[in-house]
Amino acid sequence: MGSVAASLLAVTRAALKPALVMAVLFVGAGTVAAVATGVPDVPLSAALTGLIVSVTSLIVHETAHLLTARALLRQPSACSVHHSMTEVWIKTPPLGGKQNILTALAGPSAGIIWCLLAIPAGAPAWIAGAIAVVHGVNLLPFLADGRMLLVGLGQIFLAASRYSGPPPRRASAGARVHRRTCGSPPPPGGGS
């Protein structure tokens, strides 16, 4: 099975429990709204659309993290998919600065794009747009993707601040070496 298909399947399996929790929340809210308004078709249709866009964009979001990390590490088996009742996440070995940044941005970007593509496919813009905003909010620094982004930026900043330029050159040693490599005789006094 191809890398993309295997990754998509692994994330989809991990997303089953969170999808069930989302289904209870969306359908529950839609049912309450249907009973409260007396018009069942609109709230239930919105709830079902929200559920479909949420679950599929979650799968796309986490698959993008997984594929990006695997591509950057060039070690497909180094990354793994994990889940709880409400979350899906990817575990990776330690990443470098640019790898952290790209992996962190891949999920929310893919989720937002997926939500925006759902609009021409028939999802109401207010539903797909709200879910796209949730993907963007994941980049806030107190959430996992945002923390990963900050770690990557910090790694790059620290690496750049450690670089102080080329090592200092001593003029006399440099001149002596230069004269000898140009074929000049050693300096008077019998330099080594």
Side-chain angles (χ1 to χ4, degrees), residues 42-147:
V42 174
L44 290 175
S45 173
L48 184 58
T49 301
L51 175 63
I52 291 168
V53 174
S54 290
V55 171
T56 57
S57 68
L58 168 68
I59 293 168
V60 167
H61 178 124
E62 294 303 329
T63 301
H65 283 311
L66 183 60
L67 289 172
T68 302
R70 284 180 171 173
L72 293 170
L73 290 169
R74 295 187 179 113
Q75 297 174 337
S77 62
C79 306
S80 56
V81 183
H82 299 270
H83 66 90
S84 67
M85 283 300 290
T86 58
E87 293 180 298
V88 178
W89 66 93
I90 308 303
K91 281 192 178 179
T92 67
L95 300 173
K98 289 180 185 176
Q99 292 172 325
N100 268 322
I101 291 170
L102 292 172
T103 302
L105 291 173
S109 300
I112 290 168
I113 291 168
W114 183 263
C115 290
L116 296 177
L117 291 173
I119 296 169
W126 67 272
I127 293 174
I131 297 167
V133 168
V134 171
H135 287 284
V137 165
N138 277 289
L139 290 171
L140 291 174
F142 52 85
L143 296 173
D145 293 343
R147 279 192 307 269

